[in-house]
Amino acid sequence: MLAEFGRRLRETFSDEGVVFRKGGEEFSMIMAGDPPDILLRLEKFRRRMESEPFAFIKRPNTCSIGVTIFEPSDLAGRMSRFDDLSAEAQQAERRAKAEGRNCIRLPCTAESDCLLRNGELERAAIDARLGLAAGVRGNTDILADALTEILVSELAGRSLAYSLNTPVDVARRFGLRFGSREQAKGPLEAQIPLESWAAAVARAFLRATFRSGRPLTPDSLLSFRVNELAEGAKLLLDVAEGAITHQIPIADGLKLESSGPSTVSIGRPWFSSSIVPASGISRWDDGSTDAGNASLIPVLLLPIGDAAIVLAKQERDRVADIVEIDDRPVAGGGLPDFWQSNLARVIGACLRNPNISTIIVVGNARNAAATLDKLQLDDNGWAAQAYDLQRRLSISLDKLQAFRERNIQVVRVQELTVLKLHEEIRNAIERLVPNVRPGAAINLEAEAQYRRLPLAQPPEAGRLLISDGLRTTTMAYAYPQAINLLRSSNAPPQTEATQRRFREFPTFKLVLTNPFVETVPDYWKSEPKILEDYFDRNFVKETGLFGRPLLAVEAGQDSLHEKALAATVEALKENRPTRRVLLPVHSASQFDQPLGLCAIQIMPRRREGRWNLDFQWIWRTVEALVGFPFSVYGSISWSTRFFDEVESRMQMIAPAVPLQRGELTYLALSFHMFLDAGDREIARAIVQDASH
């Protein structure tokens, strides 16, 4: 254990300085670098420890980390007193252990001096870097914006009572100094004018409002004031809601050379650009008005395809949320739009944020047609499909109805230009009615935790082993078992280019002993036509994704399909049960394609005096919820047709040879499932259906 931990530590940090074992199970490092950058690297290492198993114990093992920071100008003096330096780091380490372990702490003289919690550390390090860079350039507005992002994360979805001390805590965390000409002290301290900090906090509250509907409401009035106290001044943000005014501390203990900022009325935050008063802040600022700082817009963007995703992400800081609804890459697997996952994520985003009033679809709507059809059902269509949607999305009827009653408008933007997107956003804003109070936020993911199924270990016969794989009878049984194996795996999650997290088996082997009986899993039984269309389009047609290489006839040569038929019949005639007929299914231009079919093997096997025709299918990267059932259905359907053709030929030339359908082995070179809340809930529903 010690050797492997030491190796990990050395591999990660030896480029930054000195790494050594101090004794027992304690290790030390002396590093030179930018403190926020070092904090970020330490947090990444801590996350690796809690997720990556150790070879010896076959599970992860956490670590507690203490950090002390000193200025380069102090280097000679501090290193000469190494015992003092080491004692500070040990104090921080003891604090990390006392506060729950598996975290990073700095040495603190008071409880309020250091509030770096596990999940915040990475963000804090990144934003601290932005703040320090801003301080060097003298541009304090950039620092205010960086801190605003932290406050948004702190405030969104929280109650107002929780939020009262958050701005003060953030100020302490970064050692902010206000209204003073003194230079900032220490590597994580920065100086910022009080007015800039007040504006940053106001923007944070406005953004938190659009993210979650809390802590502000549409008719809230914001203003600043300074209270002169015996121990110093305190800057407050007043949030007036009717007769009640909440006083939120922004900074306290100030030593002001003057009275600081005068009382400033900001106004209500929910005005559109056409009606914003002189004291108000617009929802949207495209540069054409002097309405003040732009706040977030209650719009949900649904980009389709890479170009649309790039365009949508340019607006990430302005819109309420973004949900990508691509139709799965046609070039690799020819799969249909998995509307179940898309729709679950869209509904979840809208319920989390009661302010969302418009959904803007960006890109080619045909590539997510099934998802958009469900979003735009009329009342009769919605009523007819509500119970099926409940089962397929694993979202309760009352939550589906809450989404439906919002009457959220869906707008399509096919012209992928910033100008066109801004035009539709502006139209959405102009349709808003000022001072309409939103409903309550609903977090489906949080609710799902209370009804999560226990994850029972698979039986020994179905356990995933390198030498065997998942072995069962039909696809109806295999589908929920495979998904349960994947979702209950302790394999660390990964992140793809679009930032969607997923869990993967590097290889996945499935053996179906009676594959031709039930070819459609329960979850897909109401949509067999989609499976049939997938098989017909991709395998049967000569122009199909897999039909093209299998059925193509070139230069007078027989097709691969015909050659495989002839070779299989020959093996049966000659009584050669070791024969394997291999069909490589790819073209020269697609040899590195990450998705799709690699090869098919036809294997005549003699068991108990009868010939069995076994099949083995090798696929590249397979997504579990939709790619898996469709590719297996295609494999079984093609194998059925091929067997019928072989049997027909054998009846003509050797009718006495007994022949029956055998087993089907399915091998995915990568088997993965996305970890979005919608996908996880659908996986839960599939497993739950199978357990009834």
Side-chain angles (χ1 to χ4, degrees), residues 430-455:
E430 298 301 331
R431 287 192 296 268
L432 294 171
V433 179
N435 300 334
V436 174
R437 186 180 295 271
I442 299 172
N443 189 335
L444 294 177
E445 191 168 3
E447 289 188 3
Q449 294 177 358
Y450 298 104
R451 53 191 181 89
R452 187 79 54 189
L453 288 178
L455 299 178

Side-chain angles (χ1 to χ4, degrees), residues 154-475:
E154 296 278 3
L155 299 173
R158 305 287 189 175
S159 67
L160 190 60
Y162 174 89
S163 307
L164 291 180
N165 292 312
T166 302
V168 171
D169 291 343
V170 172
R172 288 171 176 162
R173 182 187 310 169
F174 288 97
L176 293 181
R177 297 172 177 269
F178 302 108
S180 171
R181 292 195 178 94
E182 295 180 20
Q183 293 296 316
K185 297 179 180 179
L188 287 180
E189 294 192 0
Q191 191 173 358
I192 182 172
L194 204 54
E195 293 86 346
S196 297
W197 177 241
V201 173
R203 286 200 294 273
F205 271 78
L206 293 179
R207 290 191 179 194
T209 298
F210 280 93
R211 292 270 191 223
S212 66
R214 300 293 181 271
L216 300 185
T217 55
D219 54 351
S220 300
L221 184 71
L222 285 74
S223 60
F224 297 116
R225 60 190 170 87
V226 176
N227 275 6
E228 296 283 355
L229 306 171
E231 64 274 14
K234 177 180 288 188
L235 179 65
L236 300 174
L237 172 66
D238 287 344
V239 181
E241 297 182 296
I244 301 174
T245 299
H246 302 282
Q247 299 176 357
I248 301 175
I250 294 177
D252 58 7
L254 302 172
K255 302 293 190 287
L256 298 177
E257 297 178 359
S258 63
S259 60
S262 58
T263 300
V264 178
S265 178
I266 297 178
R268 293 178 173 84
W270 289 74
F271 295 102
S272 65
S273 56
S274 61
I275 60 172
V276 62
S279 61
I281 291 183
S282 171
R283 293 186 173 110
W284 168 253
D285 180 11
D286 59 2
S288 61
T289 68
D290 295 324
N293 295 306
S295 53
L296 279 158
I297 306 153
V299 165
L300 174 67
L301 296 184
L302 306 185
I304 307 170
D306 292 343
I309 291 171
V310 170
L311 179 61
K313 286 184 176 178
Q314 295 175 9
E315 307 299 320
R316 183 177 294 281
D317 291 337
R318 290 176 171 173
V319 298
D321 209 345
I322 298 173
V323 176
E324 299 167 19
I325 56 168
D326 63 67
D327 67 335
R328 311 285 170 173
V330 174
L335 297 173
D337 169 24
F338 189 32
W339 62 267
Q340 294 92 330
S341 172
N342 293 341
L343 189 61
R345 289 183 290 124
V346 170
I347 292 175
C350 291
L351 291 178
R352 278 195 308 273
N353 189 336
N355 299 311
I356 292 174
S357 58
T358 302
I359 294 173
I360 298 180
V361 181
V362 186
N364 190 342
R366 289 177 301 178
N367 290 342
T371 302
L372 300 180
D373 287 346
K374 302 295 182 185
L375 281 175
Q376 296 179 294
L377 286 170
D378 59 21
D379 290 341
N380 292 334
W382 182 269
Q385 297 190 31
Y387 286 95
D388 186 57
L389 289 174
Q390 175 191 20
R391 170 177 166 266
R392 289 180 166 276
L393 306 181
S394 191
I395 298 176
S396 64
L397 281 174
D398 61 320
K399 300 302 186 295
L400 289 174
Q401 188 60 27
F403 166 76
R404 180 68 179 178
E405 290 173 354
R406 294 264 295 276
N407 293 316
I408 299 173
Q409 184 167 359
V410 179
V411 178
R412 301 185 182 187
V413 176
Q414 301 223 42
E415 181 184 324
L416 296 181
T417 65
V418 173
L419 187 64
K420 184 62 178 176
L421 180 56
H422 282 188
E423 178 185 335
E424 289 300 339
I425 290 175
R426 194 178 296 107
N427 291 340
I429 293 167
E430 298 301 331
R431 287 192 296 268
L432 294 171
V433 179
N435 300 334
V436 174
R437 186 180 295 271
I442 299 172
N443 189 335
L444 294 177
E445 191 168 3
E447 289 188 3
Q449 294 177 358
Y450 298 104
R451 53 191 181 89
R452 187 79 54 189
L453 288 178
L455 299 178
Q457 288 296 318
E460 195 65 36
R463 195 177 299 277
L464 186 67
L465 302 174
I466 295 175
S467 60
D468 185 13
L470 179 60
R471 189 177 185 87
T472 187
T473 53
T474 69
M475 184 55 186

